[in-house]
Amino acid sequence: VRFAPSPTGYLHIGGARTALYNYLFAKKMNGKFILRIEDTDLERSRPEFEKSQLEDLKWLGLTWDEGPDKGGDYGPYRQSERISIYKEYAEKLIDKGLAYYCFCTSEELEAMKEKATREGRLPHYEGKWKNEEFWEEARQRLASGEKASIRFKAPFKSYVLQDEVRGRVVFPEGMVGDFVLIRSTGLPVYNYCCVVDDMLMKITHVIRGEDHLSNTLRQLMIYEAFGSSLPVFAHVSLLIGKDRQKLSKRHGATSVSLYREESYLPQALANYLLQLGWSHPEEKDIFSLDEVSQIFDISRFSKAAAIYDLDKLKWVNGQHLRKQDIQTLVEQAKKVLPANHPFLAMNSNWQEKCLSLFKDQVNFLSELEGVLDENVFTDKINDSEKLQEILSWDSTQIIKTKLKEFILTIDADSLSSEVVEEWMSYFKSQNIKGKNLFMGFRACLTGKDHGPELKDLIPLTPLEIVKKRILSL
């Protein structure tokens, strides 16, 4: 199998999903996953886009067996380095009478198109160069140095494709006319070089987006012309937004690089993309690439368009985040938090306890700063009606008075879970119990009416912060 991006922009999440499908199918079948760069659009292709795309694929956990950075038996792996191959194979078609040189100008081609439109016909090529009687003239003009495109002589017949996802697809006769294989500039068109590459690289399965289905008719014709067996085709469903419109920036980031910048976990993005158009046989939502590589089956592709839901992706990211060990989370948090954040000044034991407490409240680590600032590093008192009600209770006033005494006589090193539980026990002995105890206790120590378990939270909170909270009540 192969993944063949065009380096004319950053790696799109739809392209990343296609790459994942190909990679996993190759793993499952003990096959080879080839990376090929389709860079014949010389005006728009950029080395920096190719570099970014390769980095994004590696970040997602993909490795390829052959490619521009690895080499292999069927290189080169950039189409811009295969121009002579495309010319050679086009000339083979010319020799067989299945393609021909065309000298029509753009004005002549436009006139043909306008005439066909006026007459209600498909705008097929009707120039003189398709007739064999002019082929000798074409050779003479080429010999004199003129430039020509090479056109494929499209058969007038129907074609049938048995697609692994779409099922039986029929392309009626006359859908396309004679089309260009190689432009007069010497550069090949996509449908032609794609087939030549897949044929020579011995690609057995082509897994790609449904938007490529319209390209397949021309490709079937070219395979037939070369007498080559067809690969198995699987055209997977397209990604759409929740409004059922084509995926765009209004539905969230569409390039993998932006998710990297926003601190998403690569295993989470890969996990989520795989669910869009493919289903786990055990109906699992959370899984790893290694796990899926053992069970991946193209029969589980769905025909229906896959809805891209950013909220679901965030949830998946949170699930993967919480599966990581605490030491890993600490190291990742250090990279995400601002350089002057107080979390970074704490010892490793404190940091691990902190993330153990708050990891369930975030879906990705970029949210951690706000959660810490809200719960640990602020002396601000919440002005909610609920808090004001709790503070008005007589029992809360008793708790506040005694807690001030406790806190003003303790040092920072002594503020532990055991001490917090001792304070709670004291108030129970004073017959303050139930919600009066727990809600009053929280209000006085945190300045909030809800939050994490107090015996875990308060030992993480700097003593000076706790003092300022209770003294300001």
Side-chain angles (χ1 to χ4, degrees), residues 71-112:
D73 295 334
Y74 302 106
Y77 294 92
R78 290 187 186 89
Q79 287 185 337
S80 60
E81 299 169 5
R82 297 172 62 83
I83 302 300
S84 61
I85 297 174
Y86 306 133
K87 188 172 187 299
E88 174 192 347
Y89 276 80
E91 287 173 350
K92 287 182 180 182
L93 292 178
I94 290 173
D95 291 342
K96 292 165 70 175
L98 300 177
Y100 54 89
Y101 293 106
C102 174
F103 293 87
C104 285
T105 64
S106 56
E107 290 78 13
E108 288 174 314
L109 295 171
E110 185 61 31
M112 290 179 209

Side-chain angles (χ1 to χ4, degrees), residues 20-281:
L20 285 162
Y21 287 158
N22 280 279
Y23 167 80
L24 289 170
F25 185 60
K27 286 286 184 186
K28 174 65 164 55
M29 303 301 291
N30 282 325
K32 284 192 174 182
F33 174 49
I34 295 175
L35 180 69
R36 184 173 75 223
I37 305 299
E38 298 190 340
D39 61 346
T40 53
D41 185 345
L42 299 183
E43 289 185 3
R44 297 171 58 220
S45 294
R46 296 284 184 275
E48 58 268 29
F49 288 140
E50 179 184 324
K51 181 175 182 289
S52 172
Q53 290 178 352
L54 266 61
E55 287 174 351
D56 285 344
L57 291 170
K58 291 174 182 175
W59 177 76
L60 283 169
L62 275 63
T63 55
W64 40 94
D65 301 293
E66 303 173 25
D69 57 337
K70 284 190 171 183
D73 295 334
Y74 302 106
Y77 294 92
R78 290 187 186 89
Q79 287 185 337
S80 60
E81 299 169 5
R82 297 172 62 83
I83 302 300
S84 61
I85 297 174
Y86 306 133
K87 188 172 187 299
E88 174 192 347
Y89 276 80
E91 287 173 350
K92 287 182 180 182
L93 292 178
I94 290 173
D95 291 342
K96 292 165 70 175
L98 300 177
Y100 54 89
Y101 293 106
C102 174
F103 293 87
C104 285
T105 64
S106 56
E107 290 78 13
E108 288 174 314
L109 295 171
E110 185 61 31
M112 290 179 209
K113 183 178 178 181
E114 290 176 358
K115 183 174 183 290
T117 301
R118 284 196 307 271
E119 297 174 359
R121 296 181 290 106
L122 290 172
H124 292 172
Y125 177 77
E126 297 172 338
K128 72 176 188 179
W129 303 103
K130 68 185 303 175
N131 301 315
E132 289 188 39
E133 62 187 279
F134 295 104
W135 290 1
E136 180 57 36
E137 179 187 341
R139 289 189 178 90
Q140 292 174 6
R141 291 179 65 169
L142 282 171
S144 68
E146 288 190 57
K147 301 291 185 183
S149 61
I150 297 177
R151 276 185 187 275
F152 182 75
K153 204 169 185 181
F156 189 78
K157 68 177 199 177
S158 63
Y159 286 80
V160 177
L161 171 70
Q162 193 60 41
D163 189 87
E164 291 296 301
V165 182
R166 320 319 304 179
R168 188 171 185 267
V169 180
V170 178
F171 299 101
E173 61 188 23
M175 279 190 71
V176 298
D178 295 0
F179 54 89
V180 172
L181 300 178
I182 296 182
R183 301 177 183 88
S184 59
T185 59
L187 292 176
V189 300
Y190 165 76
N191 284 310
Y192 170 61
C193 51
C194 173
V195 171
V196 172
D197 290 344
D198 285 349
M199 192 172 62
L200 296 182
M201 293 179 182
K202 299 185 178 179
I203 299 301
T204 61
H205 293 72
V206 174
I207 304 172
R208 59 189 183 185
E210 184 187 356
D211 51 332
H212 282 283
L213 190 59
S214 60
N215 293 320
T216 310
L217 173 57
R218 291 175 174 82
Q219 294 172 11
L220 293 178
M221 291 177 174
I222 297 169
Y223 275 112
E224 182 181 64
F226 283 119
S228 172
S229 59
L230 293 177
V232 174
F233 286 93
H235 287 90
V236 298
S237 59
L238 297 181
L239 300 183
I240 59 174
K242 286 198 283 188
D243 58 2
R244 306 199 71 81
Q245 299 300 308
K246 183 179 178 182
L247 199 64
S248 68
K249 291 180 181 178
R250 70 177 180 276
H251 300 112
T254 56
S255 67
V256 173
S257 57
L258 289 175
Y259 288 98
R260 291 179 66 182
E261 292 171 10
E262 292 177 10
S263 302
Y264 280 78
L265 298 173
Q267 61 269 40
L269 183 59
N271 181 165
Y272 179 63
L273 289 177
L274 284 173
Q275 295 180 49
L276 302 177
W278 180 85
S279 60
H280 193 288

